[in-house]
Amino acid sequence: MAQLGSEQRPLAVAIVGSGPAGFYAAEALLKSELAVKVSLFERLPAPYGLVRSGVAPDHPKLKQAIKVYARIAESDDFHFLGNVTIGRDVLVEELQATHHAVVFACGAQTDRRLGIPGEDLPGSHTATEFVGWYNGHPDYRARRFDLSCETAVIIGQGNVAADVSRILAKSVDELRHTDIAQHALEVLAASKIRDIYVIGRRGPAQAKFTSKELKEFGELQDCAPVVDAEELALNPESEAELADKRSAGNKKVYELFVAYSKRAASGKARRCHFSFLKSPTALLGRERVARIVLEKNRLAGAAFSQAAHGSGESIELETGLVFRSIGYQGVPIAGVPFDAGRGVFPTVDGRITDEGAVIPGLYAAGWIKRGPTGIIGTNRADSRATIAALLQDLAALDGGADKGGTAAVCQLLQQRGVRYVGFPDWKRIDQSEIERGRPKAKPREKYTSTREMLAVLDA
Ligand code: NAP
């Protein structure tokens, strides 16, 4: 029998998830010296995961990564299978039976919870819902956001919180020619929000924004950043953190806060307040959110491991709209061990483990492996590392039997009446979105449901 990875017996690898981690895993496999066939599965008919439905519509440069992914997809050894849910349409054990290895790159699809009273009151939302809604993700198109109050509160000070706040802060003219979903543009056009509070549980030296994202708040058409200079006082540990060269990014962020705190009041219609050392302890309201209770915190611990501790002193803020933007977490897939505490698949060097023991043939890459941190490019090195481990395991992956790969899964899908979408199909949907956007001078008008996307293929 020919060697696994030779032209006669290519290595068949299934990848689950078509975001950055999935495409970079495919790239690493296709660039290896072996003959490899990749089947890349995606739950939606549209590929690209968070690059399509997470990256903010007013950050088109970040979406340039799609060009790289589309080139990867042109390879004859690559097959995209969209509109297929692993664990439902095809089981993990069926992927194992048809491929030599399975790489999970399915990201972190849900949000962490605050665990406070009132968290689920109407008017309190996760960042995921809002981001998915304005980006036209089919799962969130039907969400309703009531922007008729004057004050919105965002909990968390990471880049997702920056995206959510900026979309609320921007004028419609600043968003009109982006690929924002039309339904969101209409609701944002009627927004009455005037004050946006972005609340961090720790101090200004620990905010997780990148300076590029924070700087944008100083350049908005109709919203001014506001920081209370008193809140910028640093304890010695935070001073030590900012003096350390590892904190160059945090230092730039802190300097921006200082600059914002010195700005004279602007005549702009909206204000975005960055506030620190406060944790929500309850959302109050009878039928919907009316107020948020914030406990003031102090920091304790050594530099770089300072944690927020409640002081017992609380303030209340009137608000009808709260977004929790405190980080994402992964969700389980039947047939794969899951670390519920961390919201990831347990791994050692990208190999999935069960109670510490490696499960042969199962791998993970991206957020489902390391948790929801880093930018798009971070996933390239992460996926390469996982694929390096997979290729080291080549001998162990060869069970001797031939694997049917993409063709075998397609046969299963056809038997089950599952309509899968290939990459040429996606390109037709893509082209149709671009054409829909043209009259509005938008890069595209996204289809926001699977039904609409499939209808393009039937037309
Ligand atoms: P993140 O950067 O981890 O920020 C989460 C924020 O929530 C932190 O401020 C964190 O504070 C806070 N938090 C966590 N638990 C909390 C709690 N129980 N109560 C109050 N606050 C809490 O996560 P993210 O904003 O979701 O972003 C995820 C990743 O995507 C990041 O690496 C981010 O840079 C990246 N991203 C990048 C871009 C871009 O490049 N433009 C855009 C969006 C996202 P602590 O620091 O105290 O934990």
Side-chain angles (χ1 to χ4, degrees):
M1 187 178 268
Q3 208 176 348
L4 186 62
S6 63
E7 288 300 332
Q8 297 84 344
R9 267 188 87 216
L11 175 70
V13 181
I15 300 175
V16 181
S18 70
F23 267 102
Y24 290 133
E27 180 187 50
L29 284 163
L30 296 171
K31 280 191 172 168
S32 77
E33 284 166 7
L34 301 180
V36 185
K37 299 274 184 203
V38 172
S39 322
L40 185 112
F41 294 89
E42 166 59 51
R43 164 172 93 84
L44 298 176
Y48 310 137
L50 278 187
V51 181
R52 175 175 162 96
S53 59
V55 169
D58 58 340
H59 280 172
K61 273 195 190 151
L62 293 179
K63 299 187 199 215
Q64 297 285 329
I66 282 177
K67 289 191 182 157
V68 175
Y69 307 154
R71 264 201 307 277
I72 296 167
E74 295 302 331
S75 163
D76 290 341
D77 296 320
F78 175 97
H79 291 96
F80 175 72
L81 291 123
N83 202 31
V84 178
T85 299
I86 301 305
R88 185 193 71 190
D89 300 326
V90 180
L91 303 178
V92 170
E93 62 202 59
E94 290 167 335
L95 289 184
Q96 289 173 291
T98 49
H99 294 77
H100 297 102
V102 184
V103 180
F104 291 91
C106 38
Q109 292 172 40
T110 190
D111 293 75
R112 290 196 197 120
R113 287 185 63 79
L114 281 169
I116 59 169
E119 185 163 5
D120 296 317
L121 274 173
S124 164
H125 309 275
T126 61
T128 299
E129 292 171 277
F130 191 58
V131 170
W133 173 76
Y134 65 61
N135 275 326
H137 189 295
D139 288 358
Y140 303 103
R141 58 178 285 181
R143 292 292 200 279
R144 296 282 174 265
F145 298 94
D146 182 349
L147 309 186
S148 65
C149 60
E150 294 202 345
T151 302
V153 175
I154 290 93
I155 302 299
Q157 292 191 331
N159 280 335
V160 172
D163 285 346
V164 167
S165 321
R166 197 180 61 255
I167 294 297
L168 288 172
K170 279 198 165 178
S171 66
V172 170
D173 283 341
E174 287 170 294
L175 295 171
R176 202 184 295 288
H177 300 303
T178 71
D179 68 1
I180 192 166
Q182 189 59 30
H183 58 234
L185 197 61
E186 285 161 16
V187 173
L188 288 163
S191 167
K192 297 277 189 293
I193 305 281
R194 291 289 167 262
D195 288 284
I196 301 157
Y197 286 84
V198 190
I199 310 282
R201 65 177 167 181
R202 297 193 290 158
Q206 290 82 31
K208 288 203 170 122
F209 309 121
T210 42
S211 57
K212 189 174 157 291
E213 270 61 33
L214 185 60
K215 193 162 173 273
E216 288 179 72
F217 286 87
E219 297 157 359
L220 300 178
Q221 213 172 62
D222 222 6
C223 180
V226 179
V227 176
D228 179 349
E230 277 187 20
E231 290 202 6
L232 296 179
L234 298 175
N235 64 1
E237 290 80 6
S238 297
E239 275 178 1
E241 286 178 17
L242 292 188
D244 190 296
K245 59 176 184 301
R246 282 172 290 172
S247 305
N250 298 66
K251 191 158 175 261
K252 277 193 196 164
V253 163
Y254 182 77
E255 285 164 359
L256 278 168
F257 288 140
V258 172
Y260 291 163
S261 75
K262 292 179 180 162
R263 284 197 175 195
S266 77
K268 294 187 176 176
R270 289 185 178 138
R271 289 158 298 276
C272 187
H273 309 256
F274 296 93
S275 184
F276 310 98
L277 288 168
K278 293 177 191 71
S279 285
T281 52
L283 301 184
L284 307 176
R286 280 154 69 93
E287 272 148 31
R288 51 176 299 115
V289 173
R291 292 187 317 284
I292 182 165
V293 185
L294 298 165
E295 183 176 13
K296 292 189 181 176
N297 293 331
R298 54 179 182 74
L299 293 176
F304 292 106
S305 49
Q306 297 189 80
H309 293 271
S311 67
E313 188 190 341
S314 291
I315 57 165
E316 282 189 20
L317 202 58
E318 272 186 39
T319 178
L321 186 65
V322 174
F323 291 105
R324 292 113 59 194
S325 181
I326 62 166
Y328 296 129
Q329 61 176 17
V331 296
I333 293 183
V336 189
F338 186 66
D339 176 343
R342 293 182 55 223
V344 297
F345 291 170
T347 53
V348 174
D349 298 332
R351 300 174 177 96
I352 295 182
T353 58
D354 190 9
E355 297 186 356
V358 168
I359 306 179
L362 292 191
Y363 300 84
W367 281 7
I368 196 65
K369 165 185 163 191
R370 66 173 197 277
T373 58
I375 56 173
I376 293 169
T378 314
N379 294 296
R380 190 174 224 162
D382 184 306
S383 293
R384 276 186 189 164
T386 292
I387 297 308
L390 186 156
L391 296 175
Q392 273 171 20
D393 297 345
L394 191 67
L397 296 177
D398 188 357
D402 273 333
K403 303 276 184 172
T406 310
V409 178
C410 288
Q411 204 177 357
L412 275 179
L413 291 169
Q414 279 156 11
Q415 281 163 8
R416 289 169 191 174
V418 177
R419 182 167 181 189
Y420 55 90
V421 169
F423 207 75
D425 297 331
W426 157 248
K427 282 194 348 197
R428 284 174 59 200
I429 299 169
D430 184 36
Q431 194 51 41
S432 173
E433 287 189 344
I434 292 169
E435 280 160 22
R436 268 158 49 101
R438 214 164 273 145
K440 304 176 199 163
K442 293 177 80 171
R444 67 178 62 239
E445 187 63 59
K446 286 180 193 166
Y447 291 107
T448 59
S449 74
T450 295
R451 186 183 50 75
E452 286 174 322
M453 291 186 220
L454 297 181
V456 173
L457 303 179
D458 293 332

